[in-house]
Amino acid sequence: MPATNGPLQAILERAHRIPGLTHFPGVDEITRRLDALAAEHPDLVTRRRIGTSRLGDPITMYSIGTGPDEALVYAGVHPNEPIGFWTAIRLAEDLCADEELRTGCRWNIIGCIDPDGTRLNEGWFDGPFNRVHCLEHFYRPAPAEQVEWSFPFQYKTAYFDQVMPEAFALMRVIDELKPTVAVSLHNTELGGVYYYVTKELEGFVAELHAIAASFGLPLELGEAETPVARPLGPAVYEMISAKATYDYTESLGMTPYSSSGGSSAEYAERHGTVSLVAELPYWTHPANDDQTPADEPYAGVLVRMADALGNDIDVMLEIFAAARPHLSGDSQLVRATDAFLPYLAKRPERDRLRAAKEDPARIATVAERFGLTDVHRSFRLRFGGMLLRALEGEIARGSAAAAVHPLARRMRSLYREWQDEAATLDHELRTVPIKDLVGVQYAATLALLGAVRREAS
C-alpha cells in the first residue's frame, strides 16, 4: 500500500477489510440486507420511504448518524452499474458498527434508486463474469429515463421537465437535506479508474490516485469518456454537465441533443453540495494507462473508429426500423433502443468533426487508441444486445408479428459475430475482484467528506 496521510490511511484500512464478494445484489437482496440492518439497529438507523418506481417498487432511504454534516449516497442511477449496491450496503454496515465513522455526519443512503431498470440487469449479476455474458444481459434506460440525467434542465434552446418519479424522489431528498457532500455511485466496464468531482479540493486528486493505487488498479489515462470533461489531474475530471455538453456540441456546428435533462450533481450545486463520481471497471487491460506513442495519428484513429461505429449503427437502425411497428411500446428495452440508436448515430459525425480540428501530426498514445477501439466494441455489444433482447422478448411473449422473426435471426447472427470478436480479447483482460471495486468507491466516498471538511476549516 503506498504511503498516505493519517486520515486517508485509516480510510484505506477500513476499505481493505471488505470481504470477498462473488456476485452483485439484485433489488430484493439490497432491500433485504438494508432492512435487516435497520431492524437490528433501530436506535441508529432511520428507514424512510422516499418514493415509488414507475412499476410500483418502493424506494427507501436509510439515515445513520448525526449532523451537522449531511452526506447523501445513492446507487443505481444507472442500473447497469451495480458496484454501488455493495458500496451502499457496506457503508451502512460499517456506520452501524463504528461510532467514530458516523460522528458529526448523518449519512443518508439510498440502496437502489431505479429498481425497475436494475431488475432488467439481474440476468448477469450472478455471473459468469465475462464481457460477452454481461453485455448480452445489459440494459441501460433511454437518456430521458435515466435517474442521473432526468433532472429539470433549461438552457438556450434546450428544455426538459419530464422528471420521472424516481428522479423526483431524489430531487425532494436533495432539497430537504441540502447535503454537504453527495456521491452518485457509478461504474464503467473496461479500463482504468477515473473520477468526477464538482469542485477542486486541495490534495483530493492525490488522494484519489492513492486510493486506486492501494488496490493495484490502473488509472484510466486514455481517451476521456467525453471530450467535454475538463481534467483536474490525471484521470480526475470536473463533473460533466448538460450545459457543457450542449455548448461543446454547438461549437462543432451540430444540433445539441435536448431530449434528456440535467444531472443530480448539477441540481445539488444550488445547495453548495460537493458531488463525486468514482468510475470503476470490471476488467482492466495493460493498455489502459500506457502512455507510449502508437503508430497512428490520433485524428486517424478517430476517423477510423467513427466509420466502424457508423457502419454498425446503420445496420442496427435498419433492423430496428423494420421491426418497430411490431414491437410493444410499453417495453423499457424498446424505448431505450428507440432513443439510443438515433442518439449514437450522431457520434460518428461528432468524432469526424473532432478529428478535423486535431493536429494531424499528433500521434495517439497506446491508451488512446485502445480506448477508442474499445468504445466501438462496447457500444455494439451493449446496444446490439438491447436490440436483440427487444426482438426476442417480443417473440418470447407470443405476440410477435411474422416480420419480427427473420429480423431477430439476422440480429442474433450479427451479434454472435460481435461476441466472437470481443471474446478474442478475454485472455488479455484482468477481472478485478468485486471487493476491490467496492473498496475504491467506499474509500473515495469517505475521502470526499474529509476533503470538504479540510476546505471548510
Side-chain angles (χ1 to χ4, degrees), residues 205-329:
V205 168
E207 288 183 331
L208 293 175
H209 289 170
I211 289 167
S214 77
F215 286 91
L217 296 182
L219 297 174
E220 178 53 68
L221 300 180
E223 182 76 1
E225 181 180 18
T226 168
V228 175
R230 183 178 77 87
L232 304 178
V236 182
Y237 301 92
E238 181 179 66
M239 191 76 73
I240 55 177
S241 69
K243 285 184 179 180
T245 301
Y246 186 109
D247 287 340
Y248 179 77
T249 306
E250 191 177 49
S251 75
L252 294 176
M254 300 176 67
T255 302
Y257 182 80
S258 58
S259 297
S260 59
S263 71
S264 59
E266 281 178 277
Y267 187 82
E269 279 193 284
R270 68 190 59 199
H271 301 300
T273 303
V274 180
S275 295
L276 171 73
V277 167
E279 298 274 12
L280 289 305
Y282 311 120
W283 304 282
T284 64
H285 186 276
N288 293 138
D289 57 355
D290 189 340
Q291 295 294 87
T292 58
D295 56 359
E296 188 173 3
Y298 179 75
V301 181
L302 274 173
V303 171
R304 179 166 58 82
M305 298 322 303
D307 291 345
L309 178 62
N311 289 337
D312 289 337
I313 295 295
D314 286 346
V315 173
M316 286 190 279
L317 279 167
E318 177 192 339
I319 292 172
F320 185 65
R324 184 66 184 92
H326 311 292
L327 299 178
S328 305

Side-chain angles (χ1 to χ4, degrees), residues 96-177:
C96 287
D98 190 337
E99 181 178 1
E100 181 184 353
L101 194 60
R102 60 181 185 264
T103 299
C105 182
R106 181 170 66 161
W107 290 85
N108 304 276
I109 299 170
I110 303 170
C112 181
I113 193 70
D114 183 2
D116 300 348
T118 299
R119 292 189 189 279
L120 283 177
N121 280 282
E122 289 180 1
W124 66 270
F125 282 7
D126 289 323
F129 293 114
N130 63 67
R131 205 174 188 194
V132 165
H133 178 77
C134 167
L135 294 185
E136 186 170 359
H137 296 84
F138 167 99
Y139 164 71
R140 190 176 181 94
E145 297 183 31
Q146 295 176 12
V147 176
E148 183 63 280
W149 291 104
S150 59
F151 281 72
F153 179 67
Q154 183 173 8
Y155 183 64
K156 295 184 179 178
T157 63
Y159 186 85
F160 182 86
D161 63 0
Q162 298 176 25
V163 180
M164 303 187 307
E166 298 88 342
F168 191 55
L170 186 55
M171 281 175 57
R172 288 196 303 263
V173 166
I174 290 170
D175 287 336
E176 173 196 331
L177 298 176

Side-chain angles (χ1 to χ4, degrees), residues 78-102:
H78 286 147
N80 58 290
E81 300 174 0
I83 294 170
F85 298 144
W86 277 130
T87 304
I89 291 167
R90 179 66 184 194
L91 179 59
E93 291 172 343
D94 282 3
L95 286 164
C96 287
D98 190 337
E99 181 178 1
E100 181 184 353
L101 194 60
R102 60 181 185 264

